Amino acid sequence: MSALRKAIRIALTGTAAAALGVSASAQDFAITGATVATGDGSQPVENATVVVRGGKVVAAGAGVSVPAGVTVLDGTGSWVTPGIFMPLTDLGLYDVGAVSESNDIRAGDSPFSAALDASTAVNYASQHVAVSRVGGVTRASITTAPAGSIFAGQGAVIDTGSDPQPVVKARAFQMVALGERGARLAGGSRVAAFAEFANALREARDYANGRWDAESAHLTRSDAAALGPVLSGAQPLYIYVERASDIRAVIGLQSTYPNLDLVLVGVSEGWLVANEIAASGIPVIADPLDNLPSSFEQLAATQSNVGRMVDAGVKVAIGGLSGGITGPRTAPQFAGNLVALSSVPGATGLSWGEALASITSIPAAISGYGGRYGVLAPGAAGDVVVWDGDPLEVSSAPVRVFIDGVEQPLSNHQTRLRERYRDLDESDLPKAYDW
């Protein structure tokens, strides 16, 4: 650990830390003298202040006064950002991927599809959640994966707090797979996937209008009911596609189903149709790892995909990172890669402010929480992360994390194992280690 990092950690975990220990209620605090990035796409501001009262951000920026009675934390040498918002992941839905009893991501044998509700399976005590929290992730939109149908079910918005109530909003969006994945699930062809999709919406409309025919329907009654909010536009529909032609087909759905609130997911070839996506107004959740083709529908994949779409005016968030141990917490690293890409001849990346926004304010806006999460602005939730360096540099790490103004524990199995084996002194090992 560098001397600077050690000094920051000491400064932020001294007497002020004792006053702001993990608590069930929000604390009033101010962080002064830090480099502050508000997450709105702007560049970071040096020697700035963030004030949080009653679980909400009161002010953030240079020249901000600290109200009387508010605990002051010296942020000299540190960086402060809003919490990371992961726009699409399976965080909290499994513990061990290969152990089916602990894995709630897929329900291929279930008779239900669109009716599946991810919020019912969230494990707040999952070590994946704890590891993500230590990495500065404070909110996430989670979803199950399509298995027995092109419809994955209803996703949820959660926080990563240590309390036993992680669900911010249940049934927040519906997820469906088209493209190659949808084709496999529907019978082996994109034609079949679109037929299944159109039939599902027709049956949902019949159900909503009281014309439900259970004997001829392909959907269950529960699935048809679950798709009703999608048809009306009350529930966003996230559509997984990669190929440019599939993206165009999804954009075309707007003319047939004008009420659909669409979000594109994956979109490896989005840069080829960036102007069309921008004109449609449909936001995108893109996988930052898609820099080489891994399938026929990703032949035009390039790491410049995100930057080129942003330059065309598309609202793009970085997502697609699974909820495992190396998942959502790596979002700052990939955002930082897009900043570095700007210096590569012929490539297109993001500015520093754009990159931070792609993992904070933009994901929050896509998830329906624009201005509430992912920003340090008056009235926003007190989701604040204090870093020991530039958060988009892989060598930096959070030293304090607040969710709704409540400081969170920064411990998990990984950190406890690190402390156990930090030295060779075996006197404090558990009894089972005696030979």
Side-chain angles (χ1 to χ4, degrees), residues 21 65 101 133 137 139 149 243 247 271 288 294 303 306 349 382 384:
S65 300
E101 292 81 2
R133 181 171 63 238
V137 179
R139 309 276 171 174
S149 162
R243 198 169 71 180
I247 296 169
W271 65 277
S294 59
Q303 198 171 16
V306 171
V384 179

Side-chain angles (χ1 to χ4, degrees), residues 353-374:
E354 289 173 334
L356 181 66
S358 74
I359 58 174
T360 54
S361 61
I362 293 177
I366 291 175
S367 301
Y369 290 93
R372 180 172 174 183
Y373 301 139

Side-chain angles (χ1 to χ4, degrees), residues 8 34-37 44 75 77-81 352 385-391 399:
I8 293 170
T35 299
V36 173
S78 64
W79 290 57
V80 180
T81 70
W352 195 97
V385 181
V386 183
W387 306 76
D388 57 16
D390 182 341
V399 293

Side-chain angles (χ1 to χ4, degrees), residues 130-159:
V131 168
S132 295
R133 181 171 63 238
V134 171
V137 179
T138 57
R139 309 276 171 174
S141 289
I142 64 167
T143 182
T144 52
S149 162
I150 61 173
F151 291 96
Q154 301 171 100
V157 178
I158 66 170
D159 66 49

Side-chain angles (χ1 to χ4, degrees), residues 267-290:
V267 201
S268 294
E269 294 190 349
W271 65 277
L272 293 174
V273 289
N275 290 332
E276 294 169 58
I277 300 174
S280 74
I282 301 174
V284 166
I285 299 173
D287 188 338
L289 288 173
D290 287 343

Side-chain angles (χ1 to χ4, degrees), residues 32 100 157 212 422:
T32 62
S100 60
V157 178
W212 177 252
R422 186 180 289 275

